[in-house]
Amino acid sequence: EAVSDHRSRVGRHLLHRAHAAAEQMIAYLHEDRADLEISAVGSLRRGRDTCGDIDLLAVGADDGLMDRFTSGPGVSQVLGRGPTRASIRLVDDLQVDLRLVAPDSAGAAAQYFTGSKAHNIALRDRALQRGLKLNEYGVFRTDDETRVAGDTEEGIYAALDLDFVPPELREQRGEVSAAATGSLPPLVERHQLRGDLHCHTDASDGKASIESMAHAARDAGLEYLAITDHSQALAMANGLDETRALRHAARIRALSDTLDGITLLAGIECDILADGRLDLAEDCLAELDLVVASVHSAMGQDEQAMTDRVLRALESPVVDILGHPTGRLLLRRRPLSLDVESVIEAAASHGVALEINSQPHRLDLSDSHARLARDRGVKLVISSDAHAPEAFQMLRWGVTVGRRAWLEPDDVLNTKPLEALQASLRRHQPRSTS
C-alpha cells in the first residue's frame, strides 16, 4: 500500500509550487522579450490540486526564445528541443514544456493545451456535428478548410455556439451542456471574499500576534477575521483549555474595538475527540462567536468509527463549521476513512458549513466534494488556516477549488457582509427537528 501511494505521488507537484515555478520562468523569458504573450496552460491553468508537467505557450516568438528557455537558471537537463517545442527539467525535478504558436492560432492552442482531454473530445465532437474541424490551430470548415476561428479562445467557443467556459470548469462535468444553454454559473472570485473564518496566532501554534494577523488580513482586503486557535487536545500546539479560551476571546474582542477597517471574531478550532465529543465544554464554546470543529488525532479509525465520530460532533449546537473535513495532506497523507456523503447530509440537516481549507497541502474539501455539498444545499466557507501574516495570500488557492466546484458567491458564507455572515452561522439558526 505504501509503495502504491508513493508511485501515485511521483512526478506530481502542489498547485502553488507549480504556479510559482511557472511565474518565475515567464518572468525570466520576459526579461528578453517583454512584448511577448507567454502563459501557462494545462492542468495548472485549470487549477488542479496537483500538477505534473508545466506547459507554457509563447505567441509569435522565434528561435531566440528557445535558446533562452533551454539555457536558463535552474535548468538541470534539456529533454528535447525542436523548432516549436522544447522540454527542460529543473533542478527541483519539475518538467517545463514551452511551445511557440502563431498569433492566428493563439486561442486555439490555449484551448487545446489547457484541456482537459475529455473536455477537448467533447468540443471536437460538437465541431464535427456542425461540419467543422477543431484542432490546436483553429476551427475550420470540413468542406473547404476555411478558417472560422483561432486567434482567441472566446472565438473558438463562439464558433461552436457555446459561451466561453472558464478554464477551471473544463473537466467534462456538464460544462459543455451548460455553455450551450447559457447556464454556466458566475464563479466566485477572490475579491468577493469579505472575511476569513480560520486562522491561528501565537496563543497556540501561530507565528504572530492577534494584532499582526488582524493587520495582515485587513491589508489582504478582508473586512472581518475569526481568530480560531487550537483547543487543549493539541498539546503540541499549545492548545487552549476553557479558561484560556475565554480569556483569549476577551483579548480578541477588546483589540477588535480598537481596530479600523476590520472586525475580529473570537472563535476556536476545537478538536473532535476520538469518540466524537468536543474537546471543550459546550457552555464554553457557546460563549464564542464561532466554532470550527476539526479532526487532528486518531486518524487511522475505520470508516464506520470515523464517520460516527464526525456525525456526533456535527450534532452539537455549538459547531458552526467543519474544518478540513477529510483530513487529507496532498502528496503526503490519504484522506480519512470517511463516508463523505453522510457527512454532507448531516451538515445540510444541522446547518453546519463545510470548509474549503486554502492551505496548498490541504485544499480540503476537494472540488468534487465541494460541488456535491453545494448541490445538497450545504453552505461552504473558504478559509486560509493562516498561521502567519503572509498566509492570507493562500486564499487564492481555496477560491480556485471553489471555482472548480462551480461555486457562486452566494454559495460561500464569507462572501457576505459581517452581519449577514453572523446571521448565517449555525448557532443563530433555528434548531433542527430532524
Side-chain angles (χ1 to χ4, degrees), residues 314-333:
L314 296 185
E315 292 173 357
S316 171
V318 296
V319 172
D320 301 293
I321 299 167
L322 180 63
H324 43 75
T326 74
R328 71 177 186 176
L329 296 179
L330 292 166
L331 306 181
R332 290 164 52 192
R333 185 174 72 201

Side-chain angles (χ1 to χ4, degrees), residues 80-98:
R81 170 163 175 176
T84 61
R85 178 184 173 185
S87 296
I88 59 173
R89 190 177 303 282
L90 302 178
V91 291
D92 57 1
D93 207 37
L94 267 167
Q95 181 176 327
V96 186
D97 297 344
L98 174 67

Side-chain angles (χ1 to χ4, degrees), residues 99-162:
R99 290 178 173 85
L100 310 185
V101 299
D104 60 358
S105 297
Q111 189 285 312
Y112 179 86
F113 289 112
T114 294
S116 66
K117 180 179 179 180
H119 178 81
N120 286 354
I121 289 172
L123 293 193
R124 290 200 297 271
D125 289 346
R126 188 176 178 88
L128 290 173
Q129 294 166 7
R130 285 158 174 75
L132 301 170
K133 177 176 67 175
L134 170 64
N135 56 34
E136 64 197 87
Y137 302 104
V139 179
F140 305 87
R141 293 195 184 97
T142 53
D143 54 0
D144 60 7
E145 294 294 320
T146 300
R147 180 191 293 271
V148 175
D151 59 332
T152 68
E153 277 190 297
E154 290 80 2
I156 297 295
Y157 286 96
L160 302 179
D161 301 316
L162 296 172

Side-chain angles (χ1 to χ4, degrees), residues 198 269 272 291-295 319 321-327 352-357 362 364-365:
H198 185 171
E269 184 179 15
I272 300 173
V291 171
V292 179
S294 305
V295 171
V319 172
I321 299 167
L322 180 63
H324 43 75
T326 74
V352 176
L354 299 183
E355 178 185 75
I356 296 175
N357 188 294
R362 288 192 184 275
D364 180 17
L365 287 173

Side-chain angles (χ1 to χ4, degrees), residues 343-417:
V343 171
I344 287 172
E345 294 293 345
S349 175
H350 297 304
V352 176
L354 299 183
E355 178 185 75
I356 296 175
N357 188 294
S358 299
Q359 290 295 309
H361 62 281
R362 288 192 184 275
L363 300 183
D364 180 17
L365 287 173
S366 68
D367 52 13
S368 57
H369 285 149
R371 185 175 179 185
L372 177 63
R374 183 213 64 169
D375 291 346
R376 301 288 174 83
V378 177
K379 291 298 183 182
L380 295 113
V381 301
I382 298 175
S383 297
S384 69
D385 196 1
H387 285 65
E390 62 272 13
F392 293 110
Q393 303 305 317
M394 299 299 181
L395 285 167
R396 65 182 296 184
W397 308 122
V399 170
T400 297
V401 174
R403 291 173 64 83
R404 287 178 56 79
W406 294 56
L407 299 189
E408 301 179 34
D410 284 348
D411 298 319
V412 181
L413 287 185
N414 51 317
T415 63
K416 299 177 180 290

Side-chain angles (χ1 to χ4, degrees), residues 20-21 37 47 71 77 108 119 132 173 185 191 198 212 214 241 286 296 319-320 332 388 408 418:
E37 178 186 337
S71 61
Q77 184 181 4
H119 178 81
L132 301 170
R173 298 174 181 171
H191 71 86
H198 185 171
S212 294
D241 59 19
H296 291 108
V319 172
D320 301 293
R332 290 164 52 192
E408 301 179 34
L418 177 58

Side-chain angles (χ1 to χ4, degrees), residues 28-315:
Y28 164 72
L29 295 176
H30 272 150
E31 289 176 4
D32 190 53
R33 289 289 306 276
D35 59 311
L36 287 179
E37 178 186 337
I38 307 173
S39 59
V41 288
S43 59
L44 177 58
R45 187 178 179 220
R46 299 201 312 277
R48 291 283 303 272
D49 49 27
T50 64
C51 302
D53 302 343
I54 295 173
D55 296 303
L56 303 179
L57 292 184
V59 179
D62 55 29
D63 199 59
L65 192 73
M66 286 296 198
D67 291 336
R68 185 169 178 81
F69 175 68
T70 55
S71 61
V75 176
S76 65
Q77 184 181 4
V78 177
L79 301 174
R81 170 163 175 176
T84 61
R85 178 184 173 185
S87 296
I88 59 173
R89 190 177 303 282
L90 302 178
V91 291
D92 57 1
D93 207 37
L94 267 167
Q95 181 176 327
V96 186
D97 297 344
L98 174 67
R99 290 178 173 85
L100 310 185
V101 299
D104 60 358
S105 297
Q111 189 285 312
Y112 179 86
F113 289 112
T114 294
S116 66
K117 180 179 179 180
H119 178 81
N120 286 354
I121 289 172
L123 293 193
R124 290 200 297 271
D125 289 346
R126 188 176 178 88
L128 290 173
Q129 294 166 7
R130 285 158 174 75
L132 301 170
K133 177 176 67 175
L134 170 64
N135 56 34
E136 64 197 87
Y137 302 104
V139 179
F140 305 87
R141 293 195 184 97
T142 53
D143 54 0
D144 60 7
E145 294 294 320
T146 300
R147 180 191 293 271
V148 175
D151 59 332
T152 68
E153 277 190 297
E154 290 80 2
I156 297 295
Y157 286 96
L160 302 179
D161 301 316
L162 296 172
D163 290 344
F164 177 78
V165 179
E168 297 94 337
L169 299 189
R170 300 179 193 176
E171 299 289 355
Q172 191 52 8
R173 298 174 181 171
E175 73 277 4
V176 175
S177 296
T181 57
S183 55
L184 286 170
L187 300 178
V188 64
E189 298 182 18
R190 166 63 183 87
H191 71 86
Q192 293 169 322
L193 296 187
R194 293 175 178 263
D196 189 344
L197 303 180
H198 185 171
C199 82
H200 300 271
T201 73
D202 55 10
S204 62
D205 64 342
K207 308 301 182 187
S209 66
I210 302 170
E211 187 171 14
S212 294
M213 296 298 284
H215 289 164
R218 183 182 60 194
D219 292 344
L222 302 178
E223 300 170 12
Y224 51 87
L225 174 67
I227 306 293
T228 56
D229 281 299
H230 288 289
S231 63
Q232 61 187 349
L234 275 187
M236 69 181 69
N238 192 30
L240 310 176
D241 59 19
E242 284 88 351
T243 300
R244 288 181 62 212
L246 294 178
R247 288 176 180 168
H248 191 43
R251 288 193 295 272
I252 293 166
R253 289 165 176 155
L255 177 62
S256 183
D257 290 339
T258 71
L259 295 173
D260 293 325
I262 192 164
T263 300
L264 300 182
L265 302 177
I268 198 162
E269 184 179 15
C270 185
D271 262 48
I272 300 173
L273 303 178
D275 61 0
R277 289 180 299 116
L278 299 177
D279 189 25
L280 301 183
E282 283 194 352
D283 58 354
C284 167
L285 297 175
E287 293 295 315
L288 303 177
D289 299 320
L290 175 145
V291 171
V292 179
S294 305
V295 171
H296 291 108
S297 61
M299 313 288 277
Q301 289 180 320
D302 64 35
E303 181 174 310
Q304 188 64 58
M306 183 64 75
T307 302
D308 289 345
R309 170 187 183 179
V310 173
L311 294 182
R312 179 179 177 184
L314 296 185
E315 292 173 357

